[in-house]
Amino acid sequence: MTAARLLLPLSLALLTACASAPKQNVSVDNQSACPLQLKSGQNLILTLPSNPTTGYRWAIQDSAGGVLRALSPEVYSSSESGVIGGGGQSTWRFQAFAPGQGRLRLTSQQPWEPEAEPVESFDCAITVN
């Protein structure tokens, strides 16, 4: 068999493998994407609107610790460069590491008023296969 004849089936096999592989990163920026199904090894990138200058901060209430592990702490980035007190977004990175189910839950409130109702919340059921 010639090299050209071997190249065609090999190319088709590689294309099929690439097409069926899940995306490595899954990005979520609102609760409408939930519930989430992830494969073990996939990364979850959660981005929520944030403005820490108002005193309101996102806090993780439940990290789905049985199925997700944090890859980094919260990272805040301003969407209005040069504007003092302008809003932005907070981003967290997690990795699905074990099969099972969990819940990723965050609330936004002022840390000095823990008894007050949160002004916003994010609650997402996570299933890892």
Side-chain angles (χ1 to χ4, degrees), residues 17-29:
C18 290
S20 62
K23 295 187 307 185
Q24 183 61 26
N25 293 327
V26 175
S27 296
V28 173
D29 59 6

Side-chain angles (χ1 to χ4, degrees), residues 110-127:
Q110 294 174 320
W112 58 87
E113 290 190 28
E115 70 284 346
E117 284 293 313
V119 292
E120 289 183 83
S121 64
F122 177 86
D123 191 352
C124 190
I126 309 285
T127 301

